[in-house]
Amino acid sequence: MSARLSSFLWSGYFLDYRSTRINIDTSGITKKRYEKVPRQELIELGAVLFRESIASRFDINKDHVVPLSGGLDSRAILAGLLEHTEARNIHTYTFGTPGTLDYDIGNFVAGQLGTDHTSFDLTRHVYKQEELEDISRRVDRQTILFHHAPVWEVAKKFCGCVSWSGFLGDPLTGSHLLDRPSESMPEAKARFIERNRYVKSVDLRAKNANLADFVQCELIGKETLTLDEQLDFNNRQTKFVAPHVLMQGFEYELPFLYQPWIDFILSVDNQYRHKQSLYYDILRKAFPTAFSYKTKSNRGQPLGASVALVSVYKGLDRIRSALGMPSRSINYIDFNRQIRQKLDLRQVVSSNVLDLHKRGLVDWIDVPAILSKHMRGDARHGDALVALASLEVHFKSGSVL
């Protein structure tokens, strides 16, 4: 049991989870299929396939909502939908912290494209125990909490809408393709575990907890798909990302799971998937207006921005961090600050981590000390407190063992 709990407290999700909701079919990968196809033809084919995916799923008789961030996948979906209906017919929403790239760019793009848009400022959201326990059940008691839009507000406002998710968009297109792929499964598992570490401020694992035993993979040849990506698809994407972004109680469309798109994007040579270069070109070819605007991936610059300019903005972000200024890259809220300063969040986190301590199930961790050090400002344990509180909420919402 301690090893299983350790996997959650290390990575933010249970590594031994089994799900039948998502099937990532990689049987259609054929690396030789496109080895002589010029890049421009690949760009045009990719644009056609992505448009086909949107068209095959769009229903004019339904209401559609797109959760819009500062990234590429949600914008690609929105741009594709705009070829089938007017912007005023599409609901979008953005959530997070004002002043961060995801929040500001998401709101900006919605304004430029003219959708029916809603903003959810998480620094004003009131965290409630009952809602957290409901979210726990919606994510199958599988992932960390506190990283969502206000779920009850979203469910009420967009009741009956089809939600278009960018699930698996960036991993398929190469965002997790390493510069030097692993050569062996032990190496791939070790790198996977380290790269999937959520709690970085303190090691919450029990002594001798071997997380590699929980990492699963149904192997195909590493020449077809790198070992690292196979582990990512079989574990992180299905066990963490899917429950997290495809929570129960909503209707979803998943355009990046269009099988011809999967077969295409995984069959092109990895030189085109490296740093998502082909995907970037496909998006600019297919939707030039939508992708002329700023993006999170380029630190607030459009996809066509020069490497030098993007480097300047990366440098400015590092300076902000060195000066102790809030990071623009935060996706949700600054848990280190907000757990101390936001009364509702402080109360719900503190009460849950102390209740977890009373259970005696994580007796290798000095939970009160972690909480106390954080609240005094002697440490930045926001990540640990989120994981510990999430685990306790899962216990309260039902069985996790």
Side-chain angles (χ1 to χ4, degrees):
M1 181 177 67
S2 62
R4 184 168 190 267
L5 296 179
S6 293
S7 79
F8 184 92
L9 295 173
W10 172 270
S11 61
Y13 61 102
F14 290 107
L15 281 166
D16 64 345
Y17 180 68
R18 296 289 195 279
S19 174
T20 58
R21 294 180 64 195
I22 298 296
N23 177 39
I24 305 171
D25 184 357
T26 56
S27 63
I29 304 174
T30 308
K31 285 296 185 181
K32 291 185 178 181
R33 183 182 303 165
Y34 300 109
E35 61 183 4
K36 296 182 179 180
V37 178
R39 184 185 184 95
Q40 190 57 41
E41 289 186 26
L42 294 175
I43 293 170
E44 293 172 359
L45 178 56
V48 168
L49 289 173
F50 187 75
R51 282 194 170 99
E52 283 181 1
S53 178
I54 298 291
S56 67
R57 288 165 165 78
F58 180 76
D59 185 341
I60 192 66
N61 297 312
K62 292 187 177 182
D63 292 325
H64 304 272
V65 59
V66 180
L68 190 61
S69 69
L72 307 180
D73 302 332
S74 59
R75 192 184 310 184
I77 292 170
L78 176 57
L81 289 173
L82 288 174
E83 296 186 337
H84 297 275
T85 188
E86 296 180 20
R88 59 188 175 87
N89 295 329
I90 301 176
H91 306 287
T92 54
Y93 69 87
T94 296
F95 64 97
T97 297
T100 62
L101 292 171
D102 259 336
Y103 187 83
D104 291 351
I105 293 176
N107 288 322
F108 172 80
V109 170
Q112 293 297 307
L113 297 180
T115 59
D116 178 20
H117 189 67
T118 303
S119 299
F120 296 107
D121 179 353
L122 291 184
T123 65
R124 297 178 178 273
H125 173 61
V126 177
Y127 291 87
K128 299 178 285 289
Q129 182 71 27
E130 297 80 8
E131 184 172 8
L132 287 168
E133 290 182 25
D134 177 59
I135 296 170
S136 169
R137 290 184 286 270
R138 289 175 184 266
V139 301
D140 208 12
R141 303 177 186 89
Q142 168 60 13
T143 74
I144 50 169
L145 305 174
F146 304 96
H147 289 60
H148 302 96
V151 173
W152 284 0
E153 290 185 60
V154 169
K156 181 178 179 180
K157 184 172 184 62
F158 304 114
C159 179
C161 290
V162 176
S163 183
W164 289 72
S165 171
F167 172 67
L168 215 63
D170 65 303
L172 283 172
T173 57
S175 67
H176 296 182
L177 180 62
L178 302 181
D179 291 339
R180 184 187 63 79
S182 297
E183 291 296 329
S184 68
M185 184 52 68
E187 179 189 9
K189 285 189 174 184
R191 295 173 80 179
F192 174 83
I193 291 168
E194 188 56 41
R195 285 168 58 83
N196 274 260
R197 184 174 184 176
Y198 173 76
V199 178
K200 298 180 179 179
S201 66
V202 60
D203 190 344
L204 298 180
R205 292 175 296 178
K207 186 178 181 181
N208 299 324
N210 186 4
L211 302 189
D213 290 343
F214 293 120
V215 179
Q216 303 156 8
C217 186
E218 297 178 4
L219 277 176
I220 58 177
K222 65 182 180 182
E223 298 78 16
T224 302
L225 187 67
T226 67
L227 297 177
D228 309 287
E229 290 185 295
Q230 291 185 54
L231 291 184
D232 179 59
F233 290 173
N234 280 274
N235 293 274
R236 180 179 176 83
Q237 299 306 320
T238 57
K239 300 176 185 179
F240 175 60
V241 179
H244 181 85
V245 303
L246 305 177
M247 63 175 61
Q248 298 174 36
F250 299 90
E251 180 183 355
Y252 295 98
E253 289 292 352
L254 310 176
F256 288 99
L257 289 188
Y258 182 52
Q259 197 59 49
W261 169 262
I262 293 177
D263 295 344
F264 162 74
I265 203 64
L266 293 182
S267 292
V268 299
D269 192 281
N270 281 347
Q271 65 173 312
Y272 297 127
R273 297 178 63 243
H274 187 246
K275 298 187 183 301
Q276 298 180 272
S277 65
L278 181 65
Y279 183 48
Y280 285 13
D281 287 346
I282 290 170
L283 295 179
R284 294 174 65 195
K285 168 70 175 180
F287 313 114
T289 299
F291 286 95
S292 67
Y293 305 130
K294 59 184 80 173
T295 66
K296 180 181 179 180
S297 57
N298 270 4
R299 290 299 200 281
Q301 302 306 303
L303 284 185
S306 68
V307 174
L309 181 60
V310 173
S311 296
V312 168
Y313 280 89
K314 287 182 179 179
L316 291 174
D317 286 343
R318 286 192 291 269
I319 293 172
R320 287 172 57 91
S321 178
L323 294 175
M325 300 172 67
S327 171
R328 296 196 308 155
S329 298
I330 292 172
N331 291 336
Y332 309 99
I333 61 174
D334 186 337
F335 291 109
N336 284 314
R337 294 174 186 264
Q338 295 293 319
I339 289 174
R340 295 192 191 107
Q341 299 172 3
K342 197 172 185 299
L343 179 60
D344 58 292
L345 184 60
R346 182 169 74 241
Q347 289 178 335
V348 77
V349 167
S350 298
S351 63
N352 277 292
V353 298
L354 292 176
D355 286 347
L356 178 66
H357 173 65
K358 293 175 184 175
R359 289 183 186 273
L361 294 175
V362 292
D363 55 5
W364 64 89
I365 303 171
D366 190 344
V367 174
I370 290 174
L371 177 63
S372 178
K373 287 179 181 178
H374 182 82
M375 291 306 183
R376 291 198 310 265
D378 295 339
R380 292 167 59 85
H381 287 320
D383 54 359
L385 294 173
V386 164
L388 291 163
S390 297
L391 182 57
E392 173 60 20
V393 173
H394 291 329
F395 276 115
K396 289 175 177 172
S397 74
S399 175
V400 298
L401 297 177

